[in-house]
Every structure is written in structure tokens, then in C-alpha cells.
Amino acid sequence: MILALLATGYAADDEVREYKPPPTFALVMPLGVPQFAQRRPLPGLGYMAVQGAGIGFGVYASTRMWQATAIDDLDAERSWRMASWGGIAGGVAGYFVSTLDGSRYNEVHSQAYLERASAWESAQAAAP
């Protein structure tokens, strides 16, 4: 969540000039795709790792839960079920924050582009 709020701090003027908005569907893709589409590979790799680890651990814990169910170990089954939910919740939270970060970054840069375009248009209208 903090990454999403700090995304505006990374919006330097040099980056704003070179920013090309990605396709809209890329802003809601999982595994850091919004950040990769915005040419920000480090945050993209971070979000990919968080989501992959969360979902991967959730799948592993689900497998262990089913194994514990097969041998009628109810305590282990409950423990692995909770771990599975935690892993999947972590992966989904990573996806949500990635989407929020990508949308906010896109909004900040699009707004700056609009302001520069409006200033240019005003300068053209004022020119003789």
C-alpha cells in the first residue's frame, strides 16, 4: 500500500516527457505487468515476486492440507488450510497493490501530459 502512495514521488520531469501510456488492459494484469508496461522493471519484478510467492505458497499449503486430510490429521489440515488462505491472500493483496500503483502512476503522468499540452495550446493561441 505504501508503494502505491509513494509512486507519485518517482514522477520526475524527465520521465514525464518520455511517458507513453500503456494499453488500458495492461493496468489490470497480474504479476507486475502494469509496471513492466510503464517501463518500470524493478517495481514490476517486486510485484511479480510477491504475487508469485503468495500464490505458490498457497498452492503448496493446499497440497499439504489435502495430504493431511487423506491421513485424517485434522489439526494439521486446519493449520495448512489457514496457511493456504494466508498465502493466497498475500498474493491477491500484491495484485491489488500492483494494480493500484500502476493506475496511480498512469494518472500522475497523464495529468502532467495534459497540463503540458494545455500550456502549449495556450502558447500557440497567444502567438501572432
Side-chain angles (χ1 to χ4, degrees):
M1 191 68 156
I2 291 177
L3 288 176
L5 298 175
L6 293 177
T8 57
Y10 296 116
D13 288 343
D14 295 335
E15 293 178 12
V16 173
R17 286 189 205 106
E18 298 175 8
Y19 183 72
K20 180 181 177 189
T24 305
F25 71 89
L27 295 176
V28 295
M29 298 291 290
L31 300 175
V33 171
Q35 289 71 31
F36 289 123
Q38 295 167 337
R39 295 182 179 96
R40 298 186 305 144
L42 291 179
L45 287 173
Y47 289 124
M48 180 186 290
V50 168
Q51 293 172 40
I55 299 300
F57 180 74
V59 169
Y60 171 76
S62 293
T63 303
R64 293 296 304 262
M65 176 191 71
W66 286 110
Q67 290 172 350
T69 303
I71 60 172
D72 292 330
D73 187 358
L74 296 179
D75 290 334
E77 186 259 339
R78 276 188 234 121
S79 297
W80 283 112
R81 182 181 305 266
M82 295 303 288
S84 170
W85 289 350
I88 291 171
V92 170
Y95 166 69
F96 176 73
V97 173
S98 170
T99 304
L100 187 65
D101 176 39
S103 297
R104 180 67 181 148
Y105 189 87
N106 189 52
E107 179 185 355
V108 167
H109 282 69
S110 296
Q111 185 66 28
Y113 181 79
L114 177 65
E115 289 171 3
R116 282 194 326 277
S118 297
W120 180 84
E121 191 174 279
S122 297
Q124 294 298 317

